[in-house]
């Protein structure tokens, strides 16, 4: 646990004067297209706290978008990465390899679902991992088409923008996009017209029918889905949907790719979210929580699929950087030692109980969903119409920020408040954060 006192402290307006000075420098030097949720400049972070340059301590319900699950300065991550920094920072694994990369690949083989032979390739970011999963699937199947889903998010590179469903802010004005990408419905239970109980069967039937009619299953290299859709609004596909899509892929020789970049590594109370319905993906992409804040990503999958790309076809200068690999081994060590899956389940228990109480009082809470420490509330004008209420999401986030609680919004309609606390957060801070959220509702 970090040496930073694990208590909220608001000593200036947020953002404070030093943050405002830095923001002025930032506006002059940093491209306007790079946004920030909250322009407070971080000085230190650890456990469940972010301390800014003005001395304010904010409760962290964001984890750098599900990255610092083990905390932003976890002892094992800092220790292992520091030791690696002393030895060497880089050789390029494709020039002279090193043990850390191999050790991370071994851990991924052990931890990801399925007992088949597995191999991995390491990269720098989630988008890179997804893009390489597509390359590998195309090499293996000798097909080209890629199927993705409504509300999905897969990255900001050209190909992953094409895979991503939401236009603003991710795609607008950045086209043309990569071809041979096809989008089909997902089982969004809360908004499924015939009700959540029908969503799994009906959405999977619609999706597979569209693939057969519009693309031809034998032209599809890969089907890519987030087992919990992140940026789209923490949508858990209705039960039965993922098994049906996975089986369809298997029946048609299609590589089934689970994008676990936001949901993986104990975030949902399991090592990987696809385990919830017993899904064993052919390939799984990881990043975010894998390395405690260092840039690392991976594609892990069936050995015969991973080996289908020709030698030299996969890689990148920084892919599997030795310091990032050391950090990943420290993060995985922390997850195992502290039982962060158990911690995530406890966070869910506390959050869902408190949010359910709030929903009894406030009609704008249309849906409470998610698993583990990946929880969200969808805000609506009223429950009967389910009309999205992005204004309420923005107002609630702003009110929380002013009180020293960092929260994030998301959702295709911009109306979802999402909660991604570090898995190591203390229960007192968790409840204090929920107190602030509850108080914020009184002003909306």
């Amino acid at each position: 646990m970090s040496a930073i006192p694990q208590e909220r402290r608001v000593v200036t307006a947020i953002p404070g004067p030093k943050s405002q000075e830095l923001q002025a420098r930032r506006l002059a030097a940093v491209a306007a297209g790079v946004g920030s949720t909250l322009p407070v400049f971080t000085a230190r972070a650890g456990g469940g706290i972010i301390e800014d340059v003005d001395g304010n301590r904010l409760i962290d319900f964001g984890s750098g978008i599900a990255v610092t699950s083990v905390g932003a300065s976890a002892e094992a991550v800092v220790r292992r990465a520091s030791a690696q920094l002393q030895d060497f920072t880089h050789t390029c694994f494709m020039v002279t390899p090193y043990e850390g990369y191999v050790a991370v690949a071994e851990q991924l083989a052990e931890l990801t679902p399925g007992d088949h032979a597995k191999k991995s390739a390491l990269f720098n970011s989630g988008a890179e991992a997804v893009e390489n999963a597509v390359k590998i699937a195309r090499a293996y199947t000798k097909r080209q088409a890629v199927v993705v889903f409504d509300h999905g998010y897969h990255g900001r590179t050209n190909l992953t923008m094409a895979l991503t469903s939401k236009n603003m802010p991710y795609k607008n004005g950045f086209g043309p996009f990569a071809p041979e990408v096809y989008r089909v419905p997902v089982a969004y239970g809360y908004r499924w017209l015939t009700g959540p109980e029908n969503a799994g069967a009906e959405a999977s039937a619609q999706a597979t029918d569209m693939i057969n009619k519009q693309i031809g299953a034998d032209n599809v290299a890969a089907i890519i889905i987030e087992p919990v859709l992140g940026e789209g609004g923490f949508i858990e596909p209705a039960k039965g949907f993922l098994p049906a899509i996975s089986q369809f892929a298997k029946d048609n020789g299609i590589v089934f790719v689970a994008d676990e970049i936001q949901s993986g590594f104990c975030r949902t109370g399991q090592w990987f979210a696809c385990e919830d319905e017993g899904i064993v993906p052919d390939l799984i992409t990881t990043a975010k929580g894998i390395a405690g804040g260092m840039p690392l990503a991976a594609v892990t999958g069936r050995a015969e699929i991973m080996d289908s790309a020709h030698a030299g076809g996969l890689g990148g200068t920084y892919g599997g950087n030795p310091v990032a690999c050391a950090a990943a081994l420290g993060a995985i060590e922390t997850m195992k030692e502290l039982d962060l899956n158990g911690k995530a389940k406890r966070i869910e228990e506390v959050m869902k109980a408190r949010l359910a109480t709030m929903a009894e009082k406030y009609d704008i809470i249309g849906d409470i969903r998610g698993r583990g420490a990946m929880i969200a509330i969808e805000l609506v004008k009223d429950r009967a119409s389910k009309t999205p209420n992005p204004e309420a999401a923005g107002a609630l986030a702003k009110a929380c920020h002013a009180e020293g609680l960092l929260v994030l919004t998301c959702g295709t309609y911009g109306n979802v408040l999402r909660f991604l606390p570090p898995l190591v957060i203390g229960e007192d801070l968790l409840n204090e954060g929920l107190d602030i959220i509850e108080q914020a509702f009184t002003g909306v």
Side-chain angles (χ1 to χ4, degrees):
M1 186 59 77
S2 168
I4 300 166
Q6 295 295 295
E7 53 192 39
R8 180 177 67 103
R9 182 174 74 172
V10 180
V11 294
T12 71
I14 292 178
K18 289 181 181 173
S19 277
Q20 289 179 38
E21 283 175 31
L22 284 164
Q23 179 69 356
R25 285 171 55 191
R26 171 213 171 118
L27 291 173
V30 178
V34 183
S36 286
T37 298
L38 179 58
V40 300
F41 282 73
T42 305
R44 298 191 300 161
I49 292 287
I50 293 171
E51 185 174 286
D52 73 10
V53 290
D54 290 288
N56 298 300
R57 294 197 199 111
L58 284 69
I59 300 174
D60 181 11
F61 273 18
S63 299
I65 318 184
V67 169
T68 54
S69 300
V70 296
S73 49
E75 184 276 330
V77 172
V78 173
R79 167 171 44 83
R80 286 182 182 244
S82 299
Q84 181 57 53
L85 272 168
Q86 298 288 331
D87 291 339
F88 60 95
T89 59
H90 175 77
T91 65
C92 185
F93 189 75
M94 299 180 301
V95 179
T96 57
Y98 36 86
E99 185 182 357
Y101 188 120
V102 178
V104 170
E106 288 169 342
Q107 287 291 308
L108 286 163
E110 177 196 312
L111 295 170
T112 51
D115 54 9
H116 50 274
K118 296 175 207 157
K119 292 189 178 184
S120 292
L122 304 185
F123 305 98
N124 303 294
S125 69
E128 264 190 81
V130 172
E131 198 139 326
N132 277 279
V134 171
K135 285 166 59 174
I136 293 162
R138 284 174 168 165
Y140 179 70
T141 61
K142 307 293 190 283
R143 305 171 181 178
Q144 294 185 341
V146 179
V147 172
V148 289
F149 294 83
D150 283 339
H151 309 287
Y153 175 87
H154 299 287
R156 295 176 181 266
T157 60
N158 186 266
L159 174 59
T160 57
M161 278 192 293
L163 301 174
T164 290
S165 159
K166 190 175 178 180
N167 176 50
M168 277 296 286
Y170 305 116
K171 303 169 75 165
N172 195 53
F174 297 143
F177 302 114
E180 287 302 311
V181 172
Y182 300 87
R183 197 173 319 283
V184 296
V186 75
Y188 188 168
Y190 177 63
R191 295 194 171 275
W192 198 255
L193 288 175
T194 60
E197 66 282 0
N198 299 316
E202 290 180 4
S204 57
Q206 279 185 28
T208 54
D209 187 55
M210 285 173 70
I211 294 167
N212 282 323
K213 287 198 173 87
Q214 298 181 22
I215 315 160
D218 55 358
N219 291 316
V220 179
I223 294 175
I224 307 175
I225 190 165
E226 303 160 273
V228 177
L229 285 73
E231 300 297 312
F234 282 26
I235 299 162
E236 284 188 273
K239 294 296 182 210
F241 181 80
L242 287 172
I245 298 295
S246 173
Q247 187 61 47
F248 175 81
K250 188 175 183 180
D251 292 344
N252 290 280
I254 299 166
V255 176
F256 183 83
V257 184
D259 178 342
E260 292 262 13
I261 285 156
Q262 190 164 172
S263 57
F265 285 100
C266 308
R267 178 50 61 180
T268 63
Q270 292 164 299
W271 279 101
F272 298 96
C274 60
E275 294 174 59
D276 188 61
E277 289 187 89
I279 305 296
V280 178
D282 297 311
L283 301 179
I284 186 164
T285 59
T286 52
K288 289 192 182 288
I290 192 174
M294 295 296 286
L296 189 70
V299 182
T300 303
R302 297 183 184 278
E304 68 276 15
I305 298 176
M306 292 298 297
D307 281 344
S308 60
H310 54 271
L314 305 178
T317 302
Y318 297 109
N321 170 271
V323 182
C325 286
L329 295 170
I332 292 166
E333 175 189 325
T334 304
M335 291 168 196
K336 289 177 175 177
E337 282 188 4
L338 299 183
D339 181 22
L340 293 192
N341 281 318
K343 290 273 201 315
K345 285 175 182 157
R346 176 60 185 156
I347 288 168
E348 176 184 351
E349 199 178 300
V350 171
M351 291 198 101
K352 281 193 169 170
R354 293 286 306 272
L355 293 168
T357 303
M358 292 179 216
E360 287 169 15
K361 294 186 205 168
Y362 302 106
D363 195 44
I364 63 170
I365 299 177
D367 194 27
I368 301 164
R369 57 177 179 253
R371 297 202 301 272
M374 191 174 181
I375 303 292
I377 49 176
E378 179 160 357
L379 301 164
V380 292
K381 304 281 188 191
D382 63 83
R383 286 185 190 153
S385 71
K386 299 185 181 178
T387 304
N389 194 342
E391 299 81 11
L396 284 164
K398 192 174 178 184
C400 290
H401 295 163
E403 292 299 316
L405 171 67
L406 177 63
V407 295
L408 306 173
T409 58
C410 68
T412 301
Y413 311 107
N415 66 325
V416 176
L417 209 56
R418 59 172 159 172
F419 311 117
L420 291 161
L423 305 181
V424 295
I425 194 170
E427 211 160 300
D428 53 341
L429 282 182
L430 186 64
N431 275 303
E432 189 178 354
L434 288 159
D435 292 341
I436 292 168
I437 293 164
E438 189 157 13
Q439 184 60 35
F441 270 104
T442 63
V444 174

